[in-house]
Amino acid sequence: MNSLDLPKAPHETRVVVAMSGGVDSSVVAGLLKRQGYDVVGITLQLYDHGAATHRKGACCAGQDIHDARRVAEALDIPHYVLDYEDRFRESVIDRFAESYLAGETPIPCVECNRSIKFRDLLRTARDLEADCLATGHYVASRPEAAGGRGLYRALDPARDQSYFLYATTAEQLDFLRFPLGELPKDETRRLARELGLAVAEKADSQDICFVPQGRYADVIARLRPDAARAGDIVDLGGQVLGRHEGIIHYTVGQRRGLRLAVGEPLYVIRLEPDTARVVVGPRTALATSRIRLGDMNWLGGPGEAAARPVAVRVRSTREPRPALLFRDPQGDGAEIELATPEDGVSPGQACVIYADDGPRARVLGGGTIRRVDALARGAAQAA
């Protein structure tokens, strides 16, 4: 076996590298080229950033495509730029807008990986007779004794991206490789300098590629100019406290920008798109104890319907925390009971399930949060 767990010599192994123009994917291409693999670089043009947000330059458009091309030339590898704008708009941007208008907090990076990079790009890699597709994600995969490959958290916990890759299927995982999963970020930077890559000091992208500065409402307003509907801001009892210009301006857990003079800090507890209401309350009302999931993807086996101890991650910035998993034997769903309630959990987000809360835990799967049962709401219903 070679370093990619494939049964051929490196020079006989064709690897397609998804090159975004950033330092991570560039180092992957450089390392594999140095190890003697037959490397082909592919960059996806996903959108016209200027048209999407009236701002030029960012991931997968403009300067990044130019940077990826420069790196490929320096490494002397074939490089192709594929126009995936239509696919990206339909599969990612339009779905993002629809989810946001439904009062959810979507994560387009998950859908991009699922629908574009690990479906369409993977198909292209196979068409090029590649033996695998390599990316610059910070996540680890390795062969399992029972067959197939398992997905694990990366060595560097600060860079771990397993939260965004839970929707990868077992079949896709067998074809994917993640060479940076066992490296800390500072080592990646060092390797970029050692390889003489022009992007060695390039800053990491921080925002969703088509939503710079995190201004979601601006993008939604351009994509769906007639969708914003004014409505009431109400407390947990339904009393009207103020007005708003559209639920697209709010997310669960938000405190700033409510413009309410009520003498106490209030937070967005939930959004009600059918009535165009923004429901606010004290921070304690954000505590979530049970989460209902749909659109499940299992990588480690769903297990039985009985309670199973696991660890879950409800936001990419949080560490996995202990919980109980209840699988729905009748459908594509599951329920999570959190050992310790968490704040700010919103429908539309991902809930990723791990075997445990260890630093190198295996990803068992995950799903989209469909319903959140907050402690305060549950107590009120019981009363």
Side-chain angles (χ1 to χ4, degrees), residues 1-7 37 141-143 149 177:
M1 290 288 180
N2 59 35
S3 63
L4 296 176
D5 299 322
L6 295 168
Y37 289 95
S141 73
R142 48 182 178 265
R149 299 182 71 83
R177 297 295 185 271

Side-chain angles (χ1 to χ4, degrees), residues 77-145:
I77 62 174
H79 179 250
Y80 304 95
V81 178
L82 305 182
D83 184 353
Y84 275 32
E85 284 193 37
D86 290 343
R87 304 183 201 190
F88 186 73
R89 183 178 62 254
E90 294 170 4
S91 297
V92 180
I93 297 180
D94 287 349
R95 290 186 184 182
F96 170 84
E98 291 167 5
S99 181
Y100 219 82
L101 290 171
E104 299 177 339
T105 307
I107 306 175
C109 298
V110 171
E111 192 59 45
C112 182
N113 288 329
R114 170 169 34 199
S115 300
I116 303 296
K117 294 177 181 175
F118 295 164
R119 187 189 66 188
D120 295 345
L121 179 55
L122 190 145
R123 188 181 300 121
T124 299
R126 291 188 186 277
D127 289 342
L128 291 173
E129 299 183 345
D131 295 284
C132 67
L133 170 65
T135 80
H137 288 101
Y138 284 86
V139 67
S141 73
R142 48 182 178 265
E144 296 295 323

